């Protein structure tokens, strides 16, 4: 059996009771650490709270060499842990397909996801979000323009855009909202686009989340604090969305 367990947004206490029971029963515990991280805890604290030795999984472990995961699931009870919800990343779905091809039973235990948490924190209505996009750190001459293309398309349909910010776990580097805004503004200047409003969220799910809305200059100067950060580019705001941002995100 291979059980996919979403751990929620912040720390070791966000896992569901059902998820924690499955971890306790498991013969092998794997934690995917490259698509997202629980910044409110440490690897050691997770092992202590779960009472299990945890094997970290990096991109190549999941995408290129998943055999140890599948072998453990074929031999007994294995769990595949991820921050947030289990099936947000395509590579996680691929692992489930590979397990099915080997005749391994699978199940999913869901956790809180940033895709819904940002709606509660920002007041932006979930059915008004279009396609999401990620902003990567540029590398050399590589400067992808996909983010502004997706944002522009969503804005043309009056839809919000959820913008994921790059994580380079091997370098312990997490993109900040100010960095993402700089990159998006450069992309906008190259294409003639305009982003009138941003909404930034930091540390969703923690005791001290930060939520702030404003134009590019406002977002560059606001201190969102420690990671993880995520960004929203809203479409035209509904009256309730506007009032929510004024009351809870400092929108002037």
């Amino acid at each position: 059996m291979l059980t996919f367990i979403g751990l929620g947004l912040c720390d070791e206490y966000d896992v569901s009771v059902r998820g924690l029971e499955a971890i306790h029963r498991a013969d092998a515990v794997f934690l995917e650490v490259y698509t997202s991280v629980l910044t409110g805890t440490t690897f050691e604290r997770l092992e202590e709270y779960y009472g299990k030795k945890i094997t970290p999984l990096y991109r190549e472990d999941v995408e290129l060499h998943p055999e140890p995961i599948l072998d453990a699931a074929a031999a007994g009870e294995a769990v595949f842990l991820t921050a947030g919800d289990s099936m947000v990343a395509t590579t996680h779905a691929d692992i489930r397909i590979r397990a099915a091809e080997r005749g391994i039973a699978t199940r999913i235990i869901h956790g809180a996801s940033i895709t819904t948490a940002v709606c509660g924190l920002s007041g932006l209505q979930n059915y008004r979000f279009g396609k999401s996009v990620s902003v990567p750190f540029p590398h050399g001459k590589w400067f992808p323009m996909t983010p502004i293309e997706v944002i522009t398309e969503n804005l043309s349909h009056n839809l919000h855009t959820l913008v994921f910010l790059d994580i380079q776990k091997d370098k312990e580097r997490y993109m900040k909202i100010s960095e993402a805004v700089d990159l998006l503004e450069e992309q906008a200047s190259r294409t003639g686009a305009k982003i009138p409003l941003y909404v930034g969220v930091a540390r969703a799910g923690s005791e001290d989340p930060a939520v702030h809305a404003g134009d590019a200059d406002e977002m560059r100067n606001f201190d969102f604090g420690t990671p993880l950060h995520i960004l929203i580019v809203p479409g035209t705001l509904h009256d309730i969305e506007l009032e929510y941002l004024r009351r809870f995100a400092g929108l002037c």
Side-chain angles (χ1 to χ4, degrees):
M1 168 72 77
L2 179 58
T3 302
F4 296 85
I5 303 175
L7 298 180
L9 298 171
C10 182
D11 58 28
E12 64 268 35
Y13 304 117
D14 284 349
V15 66
S16 67
V17 173
R18 182 175 286 108
L20 187 59
E21 289 176 347
I23 294 170
H24 286 163
R25 291 194 304 269
D27 302 303
V29 179
F30 301 91
L31 173 62
E32 187 264 275
V33 296
Y34 68 91
T35 58
S36 188
V37 292
L38 299 174
T39 55
T41 190
T42 64
F43 196 84
E44 291 74 23
R45 280 169 53 186
L46 289 173
E47 288 191 320
E48 180 180 0
Y49 185 69
Y50 298 153
K52 293 284 185 175
K53 182 182 183 304
I54 300 173
T55 301
L57 299 174
Y58 299 91
R59 184 179 297 275
E60 58 273 17
D61 300 317
V62 178
E63 296 182 359
L64 300 178
H65 307 291
E67 291 79 14
I69 308 165
L70 299 174
D71 290 344
E77 294 278 344
V79 296
F80 185 100
L81 310 178
T82 62
D85 199 13
S86 298
M87 286 296 161
V88 173
T90 305
T91 52
H92 304 163
D94 180 66
I95 288 288
R96 193 179 190 202
I97 292 171
R98 289 171 183 254
E101 289 173 344
R102 288 184 50 172
I104 299 169
T106 62
R107 66 170 178 154
I108 302 171
I109 299 176
H110 295 282
S113 171
I114 190 62
T115 59
T116 52
V118 294
C119 297
L121 289 169
S122 69
L124 299 178
Q125 296 163 357
N126 68 336
Y127 64 86
R128 295 197 57 214
F129 279 78
K131 181 180 178 181
S132 60
V133 71
S134 297
V135 177
F137 287 110
H139 179 70
K141 295 182 179 180
W142 183 66
F143 190 81
M145 298 293 288
T146 303
I148 196 63
E149 294 169 359
V150 171
I151 290 168
T152 301
E153 178 67 17
N154 284 341
L155 288 176
S156 73
H157 297 289
N158 200 23
L159 297 173
H160 308 321
T161 307
L162 184 61
V163 183
F164 293 93
L165 309 190
D166 200 2
I167 297 173
Q168 294 182 343
K169 190 65 175 65
D170 56 333
K171 299 178 181 178
E172 292 295 322
R173 186 183 183 192
Y174 306 95
M175 185 179 288
K176 299 177 182 178
I177 287 169
S178 58
E179 294 174 307
V181 168
D182 283 340
L183 292 170
L184 291 175
E185 288 294 308
E186 173 62 25
Q187 293 176 30
S189 71
R190 295 188 186 188
T191 61
K194 182 173 176 56
I195 301 176
L197 180 66
Y198 294 92
V199 180
V201 176
R203 298 176 305 285
S206 73
E207 294 290 334
D208 64 336
V211 186
H212 195 70
D215 61 15
D217 288 337
E218 176 72 15
M219 300 299 275
R220 288 183 178 113
N221 294 320
F222 186 82
D223 183 8
F224 282 91
T226 57
L228 291 174
H229 292 187
I230 196 164
L231 196 59
I232 308 165
V233 176
T236 302
L237 297 172
H238 183 278
D239 289 346
I240 294 176
E241 293 176 314
L242 180 60
E243 180 63 19
Y244 200 103
L245 289 174
R246 284 173 173 165
R247 289 186 177 273
F248 301 112
L251 182 63
C252 298

